[in-house]
Amino acid sequence: MEIKLKHLVVLLLALLAGCSSNQMKNENNFSLNGRLIGQDTGIIILRYVPESAWKYDTANIRNERFQFQGEIFEPTRATLLNGEQQAEFYIEPGKISITLDKEKFTDFKLSGSKTQAEEDLINEMVKPVYEKLDLWRQKRSLVSDSIKNMKDEIKKKKLESELNNIDAQWLLTREQLNRTWLKFVLENPQSYVSPYYLGILVGNDVLSLDSMILVFNGLDTTMQNSKYGKLIKEDIAKKENTRIGSLAPDFKAYDINKEIVTLSEFKDKSIVLLDFWASWCVPCRQSIPYLKTLYKTYHSKGFEIISVSIDMKKDAWLQAIKEEGIDIWHHIPVAENYAAGPSFITKDDVYNNYDIGSVPTYLLVDKNGRIVGHWKGLSEENEKSLNDQIAELLKK
């Protein structure tokens, strides 16, 4: 009798554990029930990222109805694809319903997603800003067309002045868009939408590093550890790594000659300019003659250049090096498998530890391995600053 009782207890515990496991799994499940008015048949695609990789799911449309089911671990941005038409929204665990019209695909109605309701709120906030941006675009197009057809030089100059004013107003309105997003993020620290838009602000480079850290730390802990929150953490770490005064992270990469290049091999020997560029970047290519001048002037005195390419196409990268005649210094890719995406980045790759942002970007590293200069673009002012710092370091 005692043995049977023990077996019964074990069985009950196993059943309880199984129920608990299934309940946890069900908490991550979602169902998306949809209606597509005006389309009785066909296939519709749902694209989303459950964890780190894109997932594409398909469903049949029957009598205007379709359904998707899946598993996600937090509210996630998703896109419905119907031929060339797209509708983007948030899905989250639970039951969600969406109604779309074949003729007005983006004008959908969705229920069951609290996160989408928050997305709708921010969309309403920025709607008048986007309307202003559209007006400035239209005005710019009209004035630009008038300039092309204008033969009177005096009138043409007036139109060019008007065009400059329109561009200035467009930039001011664009800043208003950034401020609106920031306002939402500050006022909604518990929304999954907030880290997404904070990520856009980071990408637009409108926040200083200190401001970025302050805003991020103001988010709810769950949001900080969300998918987009983790990406912002990585960006913060990279920006801290590339601050002036920071020790430049070491890296290991194979150059165009299939030889290993590390940053640490130049320590105590040379100062190093890290030149972040791409073959398709016009300003990058325009700056090459100046880089050649720097190299020819200072290389014999202890100056090295490591050009780090963010090219996705290796052939284009190698062709650009050949065309520009710059195989006289080191050339490495930002990551060995960069074209395969960030999930293929290794801990030794430049990509893993450096904040690159826009190209061209230049980092000057002294013989102690410390970052002493950081420039974006090469204006005349930046060229002089870079040259003066190299000369001063080599004197020391």
Side-chain angles (χ1 to χ4, degrees):
M1 186 72 179
E2 187 179 340
I3 295 174
K4 289 182 179 180
L5 184 60
K6 284 182 179 179
H7 286 173
L8 182 60
V9 170
V10 171
L11 179 61
L12 284 170
L13 288 172
L15 287 171
L16 287 170
C19 290
S20 175
S21 175
N22 286 332
Q23 186 178 3
M24 287 180 68
K25 187 173 182 180
N26 290 336
E27 286 176 357
N28 295 325
N29 288 347
F30 76 88
S31 65
L32 177 64
N33 296 300
R35 183 187 178 195
L36 179 52
I37 298 170
Q39 185 169 332
D40 291 328
T41 60
I43 291 176
I44 193 165
I45 300 170
L46 180 67
R47 180 181 68 195
Y48 62 104
V49 184
E51 293 184 84
S52 60
W54 287 105
K55 180 173 182 177
Y56 290 81
D57 200 359
T58 59
N60 291 314
I61 301 169
R62 292 191 180 95
N63 299 320
E64 297 187 341
R65 306 285 178 173
F66 60 87
Q67 185 183 57
F68 291 97
Q69 291 182 333
E71 187 178 20
I72 51 176
F73 304 95
E74 63 181 48
T76 302
R77 293 181 79 88
T79 305
L80 273 178
L81 305 164
N82 185 38
E84 297 297 319
Q85 301 182 100
Q86 297 187 17
E88 190 172 310
F89 49 88
Y90 274 92
I91 56 175
E92 57 189 59
K95 294 181 179 179
I96 307 166
S97 297
I98 187 169
T99 301
L100 310 100
D101 191 314
K102 185 183 177 183
E103 302 303 322
K104 302 175 184 177
F105 199 72
T106 58
D107 189 18
F108 57 83
K109 292 182 180 179
L110 185 142
S111 62
S113 172
K114 174 178 175 287
T115 312
Q116 182 57 37
E118 293 164 345
E119 172 75 2
D120 291 340
L121 174 61
I122 195 170
N123 287 338
E124 280 301 310
M125 291 170 65
V126 298
K127 186 177 179 180
V129 185
Y130 276 119
E131 289 172 350
K132 283 183 184 178
L133 287 171
D134 284 339
L135 283 173
W136 289 122
R137 283 193 196 97
Q138 291 170 23
K139 287 182 179 180
R140 192 185 198 288
S141 179
L142 288 171
V143 174
S144 184
D145 288 342
S146 298
I147 290 173
K148 290 176 185 176
N149 301 320
M150 182 58 64
K151 295 181 180 179
D152 187 315
E153 287 300 320
I154 295 175
K155 290 182 179 179
K156 189 173 183 179
K157 284 183 179 179
K158 285 183 179 179
L159 287 171
E160 287 172 347
S161 176
E162 185 179 347
L163 193 65
N164 289 334
N165 181 59
I166 290 171
D167 288 343
Q169 292 299 321
W170 189 91
L171 286 172
L172 287 173
T173 309
R174 192 69 181 74
E175 289 175 10
Q176 188 180 346
L177 184 63
N178 288 326
R179 288 197 300 271
T180 307
W181 284 334
L182 180 58
K183 182 176 185 292
F184 179 90
V185 172
L186 294 172
E187 292 177 352
N188 297 273
Q190 294 181 320
S191 170
Y192 278 93
V193 175
S194 290
Y196 175 80
Y197 283 99
L198 180 54
I200 292 178
L201 291 169
V202 170
N204 290 346
D205 206 19
V206 297
L207 294 174
S208 68
L209 176 56
D210 291 336
S211 295
M212 181 178 165
I213 293 170
L214 187 65
V215 175
F216 181 76
N217 288 340
L219 294 178
D220 183 84
T221 305
T222 303
M223 302 309 122
Q224 292 181 19
N225 292 317
S226 68
K227 182 165 53 187
Y228 291 113
K230 289 175 181 176
L231 291 175
I232 296 170
K233 277 184 184 178
E234 291 176 8
D235 281 335
I236 289 173
K238 289 179 180 182
K239 287 181 183 297
E240 288 180 327
N241 285 346
T242 51
R243 264 183 168 175
I244 292 177
S246 298
L247 284 172
D250 196 15
F251 54 78
K252 181 173 74 174
Y254 286 93
D255 67 11
I256 56 174
N257 299 313
K258 297 182 180 179
E259 294 180 356
I260 293 177
V261 175
T262 64
L263 184 60
S264 54
E265 70 185 84
F266 300 101
K267 193 174 181 182
D268 300 324
K269 300 175 185 175
S270 305
I271 61 174
V272 178
L273 181 67
L274 296 177
D275 157 41
F276 295 94
W277 77 302
S279 64
W280 44 259
C281 167
V282 174
C284 299
R285 303 286 289 261
Q286 291 173 338
S287 70
I288 286 174
Y290 179 73
L291 294 181
K292 282 183 174 180
T293 300
L294 286 179
Y295 189 79
K296 289 174 183 176
T297 304
Y298 296 115
H299 176 60
S300 62
K301 301 174 184 177
F303 172 67
E304 296 285 350
I305 296 177
I306 302 177
S307 286
V308 185
S309 168
I310 65 168
D311 275 282
M312 299 291 280
K313 296 179 180 178
K314 186 176 180 180
D315 290 344
W317 168 47
L318 296 176
Q319 182 63 29
I321 294 171
K322 183 179 179 181
E323 288 174 357
E324 300 291 351
I326 50 176
D327 56 351
I328 51 178
W329 60 70
H330 301 282
H331 290 271
I332 62 173
V334 71
E336 188 175 352
N337 295 306
Y338 186 62
S343 59
F344 292 88
I345 305 303
T346 72
K347 65 181 179 63
D348 292 325
D349 289 332
V350 177
Y351 183 95
N352 195 55
N353 290 302
Y354 281 79
D355 173 48
I356 300 161
S358 59
V359 288
T361 290
Y362 306 92
L363 294 178
L364 187 62
V365 182
D366 69 12
K367 289 184 179 182
N368 297 317
R370 200 169 293 279
I371 297 171
V372 293
H374 190 166
W375 300 268
K376 287 187 179 292
L378 263 189
S379 61
E380 288 185 12
E381 183 182 356
N382 284 351
E383 287 180 1
K384 184 178 185 308
S385 173
L386 176 55
N387 183 81
D388 290 349
Q389 277 204 255
I390 293 172
E392 184 63 29
L393 286 170
L394 291 175
K395 278 182 185 177
K396 294 178 181 179

